Amino acid sequence: MEEFKIEPAQRIKRLPPYLFGRLNALKLQKRRQDIDIIDLGMGNPMDGAPKAVIDKMCEALQDNRNHRYSASKGIFNLRREMALKYGRKWNVELNPEDEVLACIGSKEGFSHLCLAMLGPGDTVIVADPAFPIHIYAVALAGANVITVPLGNDENFLNTVAMVCEHLYPKPKLLILNYPNNPTAMTVDEGFFETVVDVAKRFNIAVIHDFAYGETCFDGYKAPSFLSVKGAKDVGVEFTTMSKPYGMAGFRIGFAAGNKDMLDALATIKGYYDYGIFQPIQIASIIAMRECEEDIEKQNARYQSRRDVVCDGLRRIGWEVETPRASMFVWTKVPKEHSGGKGSIEYAMDLMDGANVAIAPGRAFGENGEDYMRIAVVENENRLRQAIRNISRFVQKKPL
């Protein structure tokens, strides 16, 4: 008799190996042994949501009407508030009826938009290194990824244009992410004008992940893709409440821009979910209306932590450029410290020998090798302790 075996779908088999798996297993093992792991591996905000948000959510919870199913696109007042915010912060005019859609976090929205737009035979251009879901969501939709080295200048966009011109079948979608995760790379005004030109020339749609668009330092203001003339003709932009408002666990984000792309996403979401818990949506309205100062305070915290980490890394001999956005520091590890090991193996060594968890660059793509991503989510004392732990580990480790 043939052995009974359950086979997952081919889309599951298309996924690349989960490179954080071994690291997460070691972290769990150490914590079960009551070992204090300083976890700087994930961009998971720890400072909490503003008081006005929490108070409004508690109030909304008392109303039984808010316990019912909501609208999968998000309630109208929430979408209107995001449209008003876009006008206020980035001078972008959006119709809340059909140019803004609420998601269960931008990651969910991004993944379902890939499902709505892509299928077998389609090709997507993604920069390397990349946030993993930018690769995985394409694979889950059955499409193919072609990577180009990450950049923020004319050379990068020339490479994208060359791929569009010479690849057959022609790419259907370009995925961008500035400020970038994992590298914290930023762009200046004017960059997206060329993006729109390339998109129109080659009839390729654009998704811009703008998750860190409000987490900026040193006077830098990240430009919105949608602020460029013609951007709504070719693409959409994803934003999130997670980073600016410390609302990561609330799971709420937005897609805005091209009506046709949002309509396709709304169709998929209409089949998959009944919308975000309504008290979260109501609290998010208050966040956008009343909590601009809270964003500034949070950015000041991240900037101070960034400086602690960058200064500490330079003292121990690691290469780092001070980022002007995101909650990450992207650092190159000297070969004499890693002993020539790959970033994943070295991240395992650091957790084992220094009790510090950081993300290996290779988990974000081939071009991330030799780099590490450090999330500045802990307080300054914990960050200093992490640097001391790494420094001691580097000094005592045999080369």
Side-chain angles (χ1 to χ4, degrees):
M1 184 176 174
E2 202 173 304
E3 183 183 357
F4 181 78
K5 188 177 181 183
I6 296 175
E7 286 285 342
Q10 284 299 314
R11 70 177 62 89
I12 296 293
K13 296 180 179 179
R14 282 172 56 88
L15 290 172
Y18 185 59
L19 298 181
F20 288 105
R22 288 172 57 209
L23 285 163
N24 288 341
L26 178 59
K27 182 165 59 182
L28 181 61
Q29 176 189 328
K30 282 184 162 284
R31 283 181 168 161
R32 284 175 174 168
Q33 296 168 356
D34 290 328
I35 296 171
D36 179 26
I37 297 293
I38 303 175
D39 191 355
L40 310 178
M42 185 179 181
N44 192 5
M46 295 183 175
D47 299 294
K51 185 177 185 299
V53 171
I54 297 167
D55 289 347
K56 190 63 181 181
M57 188 165 171
C58 289
E59 177 190 313
L61 279 167
Q62 305 307 314
D63 188 340
N64 289 347
R65 291 174 298 177
N66 292 327
H67 298 185
R68 306 177 70 203
Y69 294 131
S70 187
S72 63
K73 288 176 62 173
I75 58 176
F76 179 78
N77 285 352
L78 175 69
R79 289 181 280 128
R80 180 178 61 190
E81 202 63 41
M82 176 49 80
L84 290 170
K85 178 175 176 174
Y86 256 99
R88 189 171 64 244
K89 296 205 79 164
W90 296 294
N91 198 29
V92 175
E93 187 176 325
L94 294 171
N95 182 344
E97 192 60 62
D98 55 12
E99 292 182 333
V100 182
L101 185 149
C103 315
I104 307 171
S106 59
K107 188 176 180 181
E108 174 269 323
F110 176 89
S111 302
H112 277 145
L113 182 55
C114 286
L115 196 62
M117 290 192 62
L118 301 170
D122 291 330
T123 302
V124 177
I125 300 175
V126 183
D128 178 358
F131 183 48
I133 197 61
H134 295 164
I135 305 285
Y136 298 164
V138 174
L140 283 167
N144 302 308
V145 169
I146 183 164
T147 59
V148 296
L150 175 67
N152 59 357
D153 55 13
E154 189 177 341
N155 287 337
F156 169 73
L157 293 175
N158 285 341
T159 303
V160 170
M162 187 180 67
V163 171
C164 291
E165 187 172 0
H166 296 290
L167 190 70
Y168 183 83
K170 183 165 51 73
K172 188 173 184 180
L173 186 62
L174 169 64
I175 294 171
L176 299 173
N177 172 211
Y178 303 98
N180 181 260
N181 179 9
T183 69
M185 181 182 285
T186 55
V187 294
D188 293 312
E189 289 186 17
F191 176 83
F192 289 124
E193 291 178 7
T194 309
V195 170
V196 171
D197 289 343
V198 170
K200 289 187 173 182
R201 193 183 347 150
F202 295 104
N203 195 29
I204 181 173
V206 178
I207 298 177
H208 181 230
D209 184 344
F210 200 36
Y212 296 92
E214 294 180 85
T215 308
C216 301
F217 320 121
D218 304 324
Y220 172 70
K221 292 184 179 179
S224 162
F225 165 68
L226 296 180
S227 66
V228 173
K229 184 180 178 182
K232 286 196 291 184
D233 297 335
V234 300
V236 300
E237 182 166 79
F238 281 94
T239 52
T240 176
M241 305 295 287
S242 298
K243 280 71 182 183
Y245 302 102
M247 296 169 62
F250 289 59
R251 305 314 302 133
I252 185 161
F254 297 90
N258 184 270
K259 296 177 184 179
D260 294 332
M261 293 172 72
L262 292 185
D263 186 54
L265 174 56
T267 299
I268 288 285
K269 285 179 65 61
Y271 282 95
Y272 272 102
D273 70 72
Y274 288 109
I276 301 147
F277 187 38
Q278 204 145 284
I280 294 174
Q281 298 188 61
I282 294 167
S284 297
I285 293 170
I286 295 303
M288 288 186 278
R289 281 183 188 167
E290 300 181 8
C291 298
E292 190 66 28
E293 285 187 10
D294 293 272
I295 296 177
E296 293 172 10
K297 289 175 184 175
Q298 186 60 53
N299 286 350
R301 291 187 198 106
Y302 283 139
Q303 182 172 326
S304 180
R305 295 169 186 173
R306 173 206 68 177
D307 293 341
V308 166
V309 170
C310 288
D311 291 346
L313 292 175
R314 290 189 186 107
R315 282 199 304 274
I316 63 175
W318 290 19
E319 295 178 37
V320 59
E321 286 186 24
T322 303
R324 56 179 183 169
S326 86
M327 58 174 67
F328 302 114
V329 171
W330 184 246
T331 177
K332 189 171 186 179
V333 181
K335 292 287 185 186
E336 59 268 26
H337 286 185
S338 66
K341 286 187 175 182
S343 61
I344 295 173
E345 290 301 322
Y346 192 58
M348 295 285 289
D349 286 351
L350 285 173
M351 200 186 311
D352 206 26
N355 293 331
V356 177
I358 58 178
R362 181 62 182 84
F364 304 99
E366 290 182 10
N367 291 339
E369 191 60 277
D370 300 326
Y371 288 84
M372 296 287 187
R373 190 196 71 178
I374 297 176
V376 292
V377 291
E378 286 277 9
N379 65 50
E380 292 176 26
N381 288 335
R382 291 279 283 173
L383 292 171
R384 290 189 182 95
Q385 183 62 53
I387 298 295
R388 284 195 295 269
N389 288 6
I390 293 172
S391 179
R392 282 196 292 265
F393 175 74
V394 166
Q395 289 170 23
K396 73 180 181 182
K397 186 174 180 289
L399 299 179

